[in-house]
Amino acid sequence: MKLGCVIHRYGADVTGGSEAHCRGIAERLAERHDVTVLTSCARDYLTWRNAYPPGETSEGRVRVRRFPVARPRDLRRFRAISLVVFGGRASAADQRRWFEENGPLVPDLVRHLSDHGREFDRILFFSYRYYTSFFGLPTVADRAILVPTAEEDPLIRAPILAPFFSLPRGYLFNTVEEAELIADRMSGRRPPALIVGVGVDPPGQAPDTSPLAEAGVRRPYVLYLGRIEPNKGCDTLLRYFPRHPQPSDRPVTLVMAGPATMPIPAHARIQPLGVVSSKLREALLAHAVALVVPSPYESLSMVLLEAWNHGVPALVNGRCRVLKGQVLRGDGGLYYADRREFSAALGLLMDEPEVARRLGAQGRAYVDREYRWPVVMEKVEAMLCQ
Amino acid sequence: MDGDPERARVEPLMDEVRARVRDELRQRLRERGASPDLRDAELLDRVASVFQRALDRRHRDALLLPEMLDEDEEWRLDEPLRLSSHRARLGRAVTLVKRRLLLPLARWLYDYCEERFGRQHRVNRTLFALLEEMAVENARLRSDVSALRRALDGEDAPARPSR
């Protein structure tokens, strides 16, 4: 089959959940099909400034065609239109403008889809919230498979999305909660859908603790891994953790690894590491007491699957339906609704290591059942043939 | 696998977590001299569950009370800053001056207020949700009481006075 994958940014040095999701699927599809990724020249997700040269390159078996961003994102204008749209009083024009301001603004990509989209048998669109999907998908709706990576954030309730969600030929969802969320928002036909998720490779040999010692990581620790920003729930985590009553004999440290876009308060038991090497990342994951996922908005959480892959239990924000659903389905951790539950759940994981070990092992078994690449790709192929 | 006696189940563990939290909450309320009614553990749990349902409401944009208020302006805290002028001929120039000169100067104040307006707006929404939760519960109880009365009237009609 001749397949297209449309994504807002793409590259080996691009981090981000939906981008990694697209890359993983595109590379595996390219083993059997002719795959072209259509994307922007941006690398930075805040400004969308052009960083890659426009035009066609090959990355392994995948052909990548990049289109220039017409103008970078103006964060003030984006914020202003967000207030209007999320205030619940926006016109259809305001809502369309939100998608333009969110970007990346790549009109040439949309034109290319309009002119050449029919040359593809199927086109997978990753993440509905970007200009690329919102304006690109309607031009090739009859062959479009949407991988929405939708979260329960205020955007999902924008009225303009109700007809949009009925357009694609089919859907690949990350979780049953995401499927329900989108189904609830559709105003027309319900396209066929499969719940697929992201593939995870089995972990190699368990890394030793030497990278932790080199980085001065204080054990035992709970781990936050990812971008440190309020949208990811880090403001709440940084309020909750310092108020957790620490036992004097075995205090626990919160280790935060990832780029920070918000201040991290100085605290004896909070250890920010910044961006870490892949070696240290693996060691951090393998030796944590638990992974904390405080995000209120997730469509899957790849880092949760990675922690389970290492047999590490999770402590997740129970107000995020996806995270709570994943933890319940996998029996792989605990969840919390507020600071007191956070503290009590963390206390339980610390006080009862055998329970924590079992939860982690169950999480790993869940990943083995649902998230290995052969399982994932079999479902993707089934959707392409529908 | 489901029958595995060794399996650690999340929900029973969460019951344990919630029990720990409730015990601490009761203790704290007792220490601070809260209403004697709330010393009754069962009653406290029921009250807390009503509050929790309101807090768990995900879509606080779909609530009855705000819909019944006449105008959004009566209760909504306006976050977007709109610049305008009442002058017919000089209006555009005045707005431009406001936007280019006054707005940057006042930006820090606007950012400061915007965050607090947002927070107050969320509190208002939570209170609306709580009121709705209690009103729904009250309406259901009334309906149950009426149904019970009708049932009793049916059984004991001759013996009961009319209301």
Side-chain angles (χ1 to χ4, degrees), chain A residues 24-267:
Chain A
I25 286 180
E27 285 174 351
R28 280 160 186 86
L29 283 175
E31 291 167 9
R32 295 187 55 190
H33 304 281
D34 175 3
V35 177
T36 304
V37 170
L38 303 168
T39 187
S40 76
C41 294
R43 182 184 292 132
D44 176 34
Y45 74 98
L46 283 176
T47 64
W48 303 128
R49 274 202 191 88
N50 289 314
Y52 297 103
E56 207 169 286
T57 56
S58 285
E59 296 189 17
R61 292 183 185 181
V62 179
R63 192 180 306 113
V64 182
R65 193 177 174 118
R66 292 192 173 86
F67 297 84
V69 177
R71 83 174 139 74
R73 177 153 58 176
D74 180 325
L75 287 172
R76 282 208 187 281
R77 259 204 330 243
F78 174 59
R79 208 163 141 216
I81 190 70
S82 295
L83 287 172
V84 173
V85 170
F86 302 151
R89 290 166 296 175
S91 64
D94 286 334
Q95 294 169 62
R96 286 176 69 84
R97 231 190 89 214
W98 187 92
F99 283 96
E100 286 169 4
E101 295 295 342
N102 192 34
L105 194 67
V106 275
D108 289 352
L109 188 155
V110 175
R111 230 179 337 265
H112 181 83
L113 280 172
S114 184
D115 295 344
H116 301 283
R118 315 249 158 252
E119 295 162 17
F120 293 95
D121 297 305
R122 298 283 181 273
I123 304 178
L124 286 88
F125 286 83
F126 288 83
S127 216
Y128 80 95
R129 63 181 52 244
Y130 296 104
Y131 178 95
T132 39
S133 290
F134 184 78
F135 291 102
L137 188 147
T139 65
V140 286
D142 64 331
R143 61 204 61 216
I145 309 290
L146 181 57
V147 188
T149 63
E151 300 159 359
E152 208 170 359
D153 61 4
L155 176 65
I156 198 77
R157 312 217 78 74
I160 202 170
L161 288 170
F164 173 83
F165 283 141
S166 286
L167 290 177
R169 179 191 181 93
Y171 274 97
L172 293 174
F173 289 115
N174 275 333
T175 59
V176 65
E177 289 82 10
E178 186 195 21
E180 287 167 1
L181 183 66
I182 299 281
D184 187 44
R185 297 294 303 123
M186 282 174 196
S187 63
R189 64 179 266 275
R190 292 197 170 192
L194 284 174
I195 292 160
V196 176
V198 182
V200 181
D201 290 318
Q205 201 182 355
D208 65 21
T209 55
S210 60
L212 303 181
E214 283 164 26
V217 172
R218 293 190 290 273
R219 299 175 69 189
Y221 63 91
V222 288
L223 178 66
Y224 172 82
L225 190 57
R227 293 200 302 264
I228 300 168
E229 56 182 45
N231 270 350
K232 293 286 178 188
C234 292
D235 51 347
T236 319
L237 176 61
L238 288 168
R239 277 202 316 274
Y240 287 1
F241 185 80
R243 296 183 68 182
H244 173 63
Q246 294 271 11
S248 54
D249 57 332
R250 199 166 175 256
V252 62
T253 299
L254 169 63
V255 172
M256 302 183 85
T261 58
M262 62 180 285
I264 301 171
H267 187 279

Side-chain angles (χ1 to χ4, degrees), chain A residues 79 87 157 331 340 362, chain B residues 6 8-9 28 59 76 114:
Chain A
R79 208 163 141 216
R157 312 217 78 74
D331 271 332
R340 292 182 183 92
Q362 289 164 189
Chain B
E6 295 293 299
R9 292 276 173 207
R28 206 167 39 255
H59 307 306
R76 190 188 280 271
E114 185 196 349

Side-chain angles (χ1 to χ4, degrees), chain B residues 73-157:
Chain B
E73 282 67 23
E74 285 186 8
W75 64 275
R76 190 188 280 271
L77 291 159
D78 214 355
E79 293 159 34
L81 182 63
R82 292 196 179 86
L83 294 173
S84 59
S85 169
H86 65 281
R87 294 168 207 279
R89 299 179 67 183
L90 283 171
R92 289 184 67 177
V94 170
T95 305
L96 186 72
V97 170
K98 282 181 179 175
R99 194 180 302 281
R100 288 290 154 87
L101 289 177
L102 296 181
L103 186 58
L105 287 173
R107 179 68 71 180
W108 67 270
L109 182 63
Y110 172 55
D111 287 346
Y112 175 85
C113 292
E114 185 196 349
E115 190 194 325
R116 274 142 190 83
F117 279 178
R119 200 176 293 170
Q120 184 62 54
H121 190 63
R122 285 193 292 277
V123 170
N124 291 352
R125 286 290 192 178
T126 304
L127 291 174
F128 285 159
L130 179 58
L131 279 173
E132 185 167 297
E133 201 63 50
M134 291 197 294
V136 166
E137 184 142 313
N138 189 41
R140 284 206 177 117
L141 285 171
R142 276 177 184 277
S143 161
D144 288 350
V145 168
S146 299
L148 283 170
R149 274 191 183 141
R150 276 196 301 277
L152 282 172
D153 283 351
E155 285 170 15
D156 312 328

Side-chain angles (χ1 to χ4, degrees), chain A residues 258-311:
Chain A
T261 58
M262 62 180 285
I264 301 171
H267 187 279
R269 286 284 153 198
I270 297 175
Q271 192 175 8
L273 298 178
V275 178
V276 296
S277 66
S278 57
K279 195 175 155 200
L280 178 54
R281 189 179 191 276
E282 287 300 296
L284 283 168
L285 276 167
H287 298 286
V289 170
L291 177 85
V292 188
V293 191
S295 177
Y297 309 123
E298 287 292 339
S299 70
L300 179 65
S301 183
M302 286 172 73
V303 74
L304 176 61
L305 301 183
E306 287 182 81
W308 281 342
N309 207 21
H310 285 280

